[in-house]
Amino acid sequence: MRFEEAQRIKNLPPYLFARIEELIARKKEEGVDVISLGIGDPDVPTPGHIVAVAMREVQNPANHQYPSSAGMPAFREAVARWYARRFGVSLDPAREVVSLIGSKEGIAHISWCYLNPGDVALVPDPGYPVYGQGVILAGGEPYYMPLDPSRGFLPDLAAIPADVARRARLMFLNYPNNPTGAVADAAFFREVVAFAREYDILVCHDAAYSEICFDGYRAPSFLQMPGAKEVGIEFHSVSKTYNMTGWRIGWVAGLAEAVQALGRLKTNIDSGVFQAVQLAAAAALDGPEDATEAMCRLYARRRDLVIGTLNDLGWRLSPPRATFYIWLPVPKGYTAATFAETILERAAVVITPGTGYGARGEGYCRISLTVPNARLEEAMHRLRRVLAGRN
Amino acid sequence: MRLSERARAISPSPTLAIDARAKEMKANGVRVINFGAGEPDFDTPRHIKEAAVAALAAGMTRYTPVGGIRELKEAISAKFLNDNGLTYSAEEIVVSVGAKHSLYNAIQVLCDVGDEVLIPSPYWVSYVEQVKLAGAVPKLVRASLENGFKLLPDELRAAIGPRTRVLILNTPCNPTGAVYGREELEALAEVALAAGLVIISDEIYEKLVYEGNRHVSIASLAPEVKERTVVINGVSKAYAMTGWRIGYLGAPRDVARAITRLQSHSTSNPTSIAQAAALAALTGPQEPVREMVAAFARRRAYILERLRALPGVACPTPEGAFYVFPNFSAYWGGAYRGRPVNSGTDLAQLLLEEAQVAVVPGVAFGDDNCLRLSYATSRETIGEGLDRIAAVLGEIS
């Protein structure tokens, strides 16, 4: 190798799914019909009224020129309207909202804004890998907060040592939660606000799944809590709500100085989001919610199918109230990796080993519900065949 | 909330800031002549827009592979071969959210904290900030007006120190329009290779060269140069697609892999339908590019003629891009209606406020004796703008 990778890239943890991917590739080469329940990428297309706006706007010459890095007023105002309508949160679109190339982009870069090498960031474990990796890339130190089933997968803030809390600059949270499907209530968020105030920590809440809720449950925004906007920001996107993962647009909202710090940083990393995409996202946020509601009903049926199948096979799972993930404890005698490999080997079904989300993911696998019904049904048939009488 | 040292060390992009201010004045009804634009004033060609519409109709709305769809990488591979004589496989290509993002990714994976990065000056603004963001140290190397703003091999050699790791080369250059010829690149490559440097070659203005000048990619000089080079390019300037945000790079496989990994942790794939549009741009008819270049060539001749008619203004002939970078230092020490004029910054402010002409002060590119004027605007605008500039200069005593 003639090029030496920079230390920060070497510090990124090795890709945990490499072995699974190898197995998938081999199966596919052998002509096996592999069903992937691995990635959370909605299988249903973007609603037609949003696509129609994009079709019009890609042809508008005004959108062929550089967007503003922070986002068009039309997009930021739509975000503010949506927050007001959905959560009763009032946001100043000019100061408290900035567009992102998907919420992931902001999550990855907020650490650049606030972490000096050696600074601590509180990161949930298990959790979306980008939290910890963004911290590592910025030279910071993640302190992993265990998410334990006995606490409903909410971190125990009291268990964070005071010296760690004092060194911490950021806290990442994500409810409804990927990968566990857990939800947080207002009481927990209030506790977070108090904790952040006490230790002067910026709360970075990832609310990407707030609209994927079932059984009448409606997830709160962190920004709804009294004082939250003084200590926190929220990352969100249209990806999961409107089946727009490929479009790459999200936003950060909340504490103005943090939103703007990220916005300033971003001017040197990218030049904003294609305006046709911004206008499509604005139309999504302003538009009817029936497609999202229909998606949630669809996910709920799929969830019930998977939970029903697994409980028939001996698990005792309660259905998650949000997200399109099932967090599955693996049977005795397996690790996350060996169970995922076994399911792939014997049922040709891909599920994600929980260790991909952190050390506390050991003992779990994640099942994503974002495949067409017929495929999910086929996957469940295969699980029944392979796992009957095992658990 | 205390910002990190890095966040405090970086500045917002000044070119975008000035452009935004001019747009704001315009929005308020002021008739601003804008030479600030860093983008073609042409619309994206029709067949490219239609490809985006077709992709939407086909439901291309889900995640794509992080580093870009296969078809686009293959089209880029063919482009590198046909235009630049470079052989890159799809595994050596990464598509990102604009060339700026490609540069950011390359700098992130190549620079360690404390590494030194050589940047010929005048330079494009974001290089310096991106290097600082990586914790590396930007080291500016003066490329003089006398040499047409091109770095000489001896100047490069003299600038290399024990911690120097990367050279960023930009040809055609923003802001100066300088285009390096083959021999000039060979001489620089020899010095860079002997010192073990990695070259980041920003070739985003490749298609915009004039009067028989040819763009040469430094990576094409020899296999051993290519092995040490990351080539940055994109569809923005060539196809009037700045708004679509698609850039790409060619790099040795290990580097491309590391960049893909980094991108998987930050942005994921570039916008799906913009990838479809970029594919149409690269594989479709190239006539619109030729037409655009011909239009830029006419405007370039005109703006040069007008600038050179101004007393005391020195302006080397830019061979590429769509900028001129004239030097106004003959006016420093003078005053406009009692207001002192001592730098490009003073002059740019004066022009915006007194004549409603927006230009970018050269200090944004490392030379406050100059102003950057973009001629990606109509002939009428150029004419009226130069009239207004001449009037202001005429009153400086």
Side-chain angles (χ1 to χ4, degrees):
Chain A
M1 193 172 85
R2 284 164 172 275
F3 279 89
E4 179 94 350
E5 286 177 9
Q7 196 60 45
R8 75 178 64 78
I9 301 297
K10 290 191 210 147
N11 287 349
L12 284 177
Y15 195 52
L16 277 157
F17 305 128
R19 167 142 179 85
I20 295 264
E21 287 203 336
E22 230 172 79
L23 283 173
I24 296 170
R26 206 172 67 212
K27 287 264 168 206
K28 283 188 174 161
E29 261 169 44
E30 289 165 5
V32 177
D33 171 31
V34 177
I35 302 175
S36 177
L37 308 180
I39 297 174
D41 183 7
D43 53 306
V44 175
T46 308
H49 71 278
I50 302 169
V51 171
V53 171
M55 281 187 173
R56 186 180 75 224
E57 295 301 337
V58 295
Q59 299 182 73
N60 179 357
N63 299 326
H64 298 163
Q65 303 218 304
Y66 281 121
S68 81
S69 180
M72 305 166 80
F75 171 71
R76 293 150 86 185
E77 285 160 11
V79 169
R81 279 193 295 274
W82 185 78
Y83 260 85
R85 203 167 61 241
R86 171 68 177 86
F87 300 115
V89 169
S90 129
L91 293 169
D92 175 355
R95 295 171 56 252
E96 296 174 333
V97 182
V98 159
S99 66
L100 299 169
I101 307 167
S103 55
K104 182 195 260 188
E105 188 246 334
I107 292 166
H109 294 144
I110 189 69
S111 290
W112 287 115
C113 294
Y114 288 103
L115 298 184
N116 284 322
D119 281 347
V120 170
L122 306 172
V123 175
D125 178 11
Y128 183 48
V130 180
Y131 311 134
Q133 279 149 10
V135 172
I136 292 167
L137 281 169
E141 285 172 22
Y143 174 87
Y144 291 102
M145 304 179 288
L147 303 188
D148 197 274
S150 67
R151 296 184 51 86
F153 295 107
L154 300 172
D156 183 358
L157 302 183
I160 298 167
D163 64 311
V164 171
R166 274 194 294 272
R167 284 172 57 215
R169 311 291 323 281
L170 302 176
M171 173 192 268
F172 289 94
L173 292 171
N174 165 219
Y175 294 96
N177 185 258
N178 172 20
T180 67
V183 298
D185 56 11
F188 171 72
F189 279 155
R190 280 198 206 99
E191 205 188 313
V192 171
V193 172
F195 184 85
R197 272 205 187 124
E198 183 179 351
Y199 291 104
D200 193 20
I201 290 170
L202 179 69
V203 178
C204 303
H205 183 242
D206 173 1
Y209 297 92
S210 76
E211 303 315 290
I212 311 299
C213 295
F214 318 121
D215 313 329
Y217 174 72
R218 295 283 267 165
S221 160
F222 176 69
L223 300 179
Q224 267 172 267
M225 304 308 136
K229 231 167 72 172
E230 281 93 68
V231 295
I233 52 177
E234 192 155 83
F235 295 99
H236 211 313
S237 92
V238 292
S239 292
K240 318 291 181 185
T241 312
Y242 304 103
N243 303 335
M244 293 176 73
T245 49
W247 301 60
R248 312 310 308 134
I249 178 159
W251 64 85
V252 58
L255 179 66
E257 62 175 270
V259 166
Q260 287 168 30
L262 185 54
R264 269 197 311 279
L265 178 91
K266 275 174 55 62
T267 64
N268 290 298
I269 297 176
D270 63 85
S271 301
V273 176
F274 185 20
Q275 290 193 5
V277 171
Q278 293 192 50
L279 293 167
L285 291 168
D286 283 336
E289 296 294 339
D290 47 346
T292 306
E293 285 158 16
M295 284 307 305
C296 288
R297 288 195 295 274
L298 178 70
Y299 291 137
R301 285 197 298 276
R302 290 178 183 172
R303 172 201 66 172
D304 294 343
L305 168 69
V306 172
I307 295 284
T309 304
L310 293 167
N311 284 351
D312 285 352
L313 289 167
W315 271 273
R316 262 168 286 157
L317 302 169
S318 30
R321 285 192 287 170
T323 79
F324 39 60
Y325 303 116
I326 307 289
W327 189 236
L328 176 69
V330 303
K332 279 205 175 55
Y334 287 99
T335 64
T338 60
F339 187 66
E341 281 169 30
T342 303
I343 296 298
L344 177 56
E345 201 61 66
R346 302 193 41 215
V349 171
V350 178
I351 59 176
T352 312
T355 39
Y357 304 93
R360 293 275 172 161
E362 184 52 275
Y364 292 88
C365 284
R366 193 191 76 171
I367 294 175
S368 168
L369 302 171
T370 53
V371 295
N373 293 350
R375 298 293 281 166
L376 193 64
E377 282 161 19
E378 167 64 18
M380 291 304 111
H381 282 305
R382 294 184 190 177
L383 289 193
R384 279 184 194 276
R385 202 181 63 226
V386 169
L387 291 172
R390 280 202 69 95
N391 205 13
Chain B
M1 206 81 55
R2 178 172 56 89
L3 290 170
S4 70
E5 281 159 28
R6 279 176 191 172
R8 276 179 281 160
I10 65 154
S11 338
S13 170
T15 48
L16 288 179
I18 286 156
D19 199 38
R21 199 163 149 219
K23 280 176 179 162
E24 190 184 294
M25 283 174 77
K26 236 178 205 170
N28 292 335
V30 181
R31 203 177 117 65
V32 177
I33 298 287
N34 191 356
F35 289 113
E39 56 190 327
D41 54 328
F42 299 96
D43 298 344
T44 306
R46 177 186 295 271
H47 71 279
I48 298 173
K49 293 186 269 192
E50 282 167 357
V53 173
L56 281 163
M60 189 181 173
T61 58
R62 302 177 64 185
Y63 287 126
T64 78
V66 166
I69 55 174
R70 186 90 199 168
E71 299 89 320
L72 179 55
K73 285 189 173 188
E74 280 164 6
I76 292 166
S77 174
K79 175 257 169 286
F80 272 134
L81 186 64
N82 297 334
D83 291 353
N84 311 111
L86 289 168
T87 309
Y88 285 113
S89 68
E91 289 69 37
E92 296 168 314
I93 290 166
V94 186
V95 185
S96 300
V97 189
K100 185 192 255 186
H101 186 224
S102 299
L103 276 160
Y104 168 79
N105 284 338
I107 289 167
Q108 283 287 318
V109 307
L110 292 171
C111 296
D112 268 318
V113 173
D115 281 350
E116 212 171 66
V117 177
L118 298 184
I119 301 171
S121 168
Y123 53 87
W124 181 55
V125 289
S126 291
Y127 298 144
V128 169
E129 306 304 327
Q130 292 190 346
V131 167
K132 286 196 283 192
L133 193 51
V137 181
K139 187 169 177 191
L140 303 177
V141 197
R142 188 100 222 126
S144 69
L145 184 141
E146 290 71 35
N147 294 320
F149 293 118
K150 288 187 219 177
L151 186 65
L152 298 174
D154 286 343
E155 294 168 336
L156 173 59
R157 194 177 292 113
I160 295 171
R163 293 230 52 184
T164 308
R165 182 159 160 72
V166 176
L167 166 68
I168 299 180
L169 210 61
N170 176 210
T171 179
C173 175
N174 174 9
T176 65
V179 175
Y180 287 84
R182 178 175 294 275
E183 286 79 31
E184 291 165 325
L185 290 173
E186 275 167 356
L188 292 174
E190 195 185 321
V191 176
L193 250 58
L197 303 189
V198 172
I199 302 166
I200 295 176
S201 181
D202 178 358
E203 304 177 10
I204 188 71
Y205 291 95
E206 165 194 34
K207 297 283 181 189
L208 308 179
V209 288
Y210 311 105
E211 290 186 60
N213 280 290
R214 270 198 64 222
H215 167 76
V216 178
S217 173
I218 195 166
S220 70
L221 297 179
E224 53 272 27
V225 184
K226 178 168 171 258
E227 281 169 17
R228 304 287 305 172
T229 304
V230 176
V231 179
I232 309 281
N233 212 321
V235 295
S236 293
K237 315 288 178 176
Y239 301 98
M241 289 178 72
T242 48
W244 300 70
R245 312 310 309 127
I246 297 288
Y248 56 83
L249 58 80
R253 188 172 308 234
D254 293 333
V255 176
R257 198 174 289 154
I259 287 172
T260 307
R261 192 145 55 103
L262 175 65
Q263 187 160 301
S264 79
H265 295 308
S266 53
T267 59
S268 303
N269 59 272
T271 297
S272 53
I273 57 166
Q275 291 188 61
L279 176 61
L282 291 172
T283 56
Q286 301 299 301
E287 199 48 44
V289 183
R290 285 188 283 274
E291 284 167 15
M292 191 171 71
V293 174
F296 281 142
R298 289 190 294 273
R299 297 168 182 180
R300 169 178 166 276
Y302 180 55
I303 199 168
L304 279 173
E305 175 198 319
R306 294 293 312 267
L307 276 168
R308 285 173 179 163
L310 299 173
V313 175
C315 185
T317 306
E319 294 145 332
F322 41 63
Y323 307 109
V324 285
F325 200 58
N327 182 305
F328 289 86
S329 57
Y331 291 89
W332 307 161
Y336 174 91
R337 296 182 190 169
R339 182 175 162 171
V341 181
N342 290 316
S343 67
T345 307
D346 290 348
L347 184 56
Q349 269 170 11
L350 190 65
L351 289 172
L352 188 59
E353 283 157 31
E354 299 295 328
Q356 291 75 51
V357 172
V359 300
V360 186
V363 68
F365 312 96
D367 187 345
D368 208 13
N369 286 323
C370 297
L371 300 178
R372 190 191 77 173
L373 280 70
S374 161
Y375 52 86
T377 186
S378 71
R379 185 186 166 95
E380 293 67 40
T381 306
I382 294 170
E384 185 175 347
L386 266 294
D387 289 345
R388 293 190 191 183
I389 292 172
V392 169
L393 292 180
E395 283 197 55
I396 295 176
S397 52

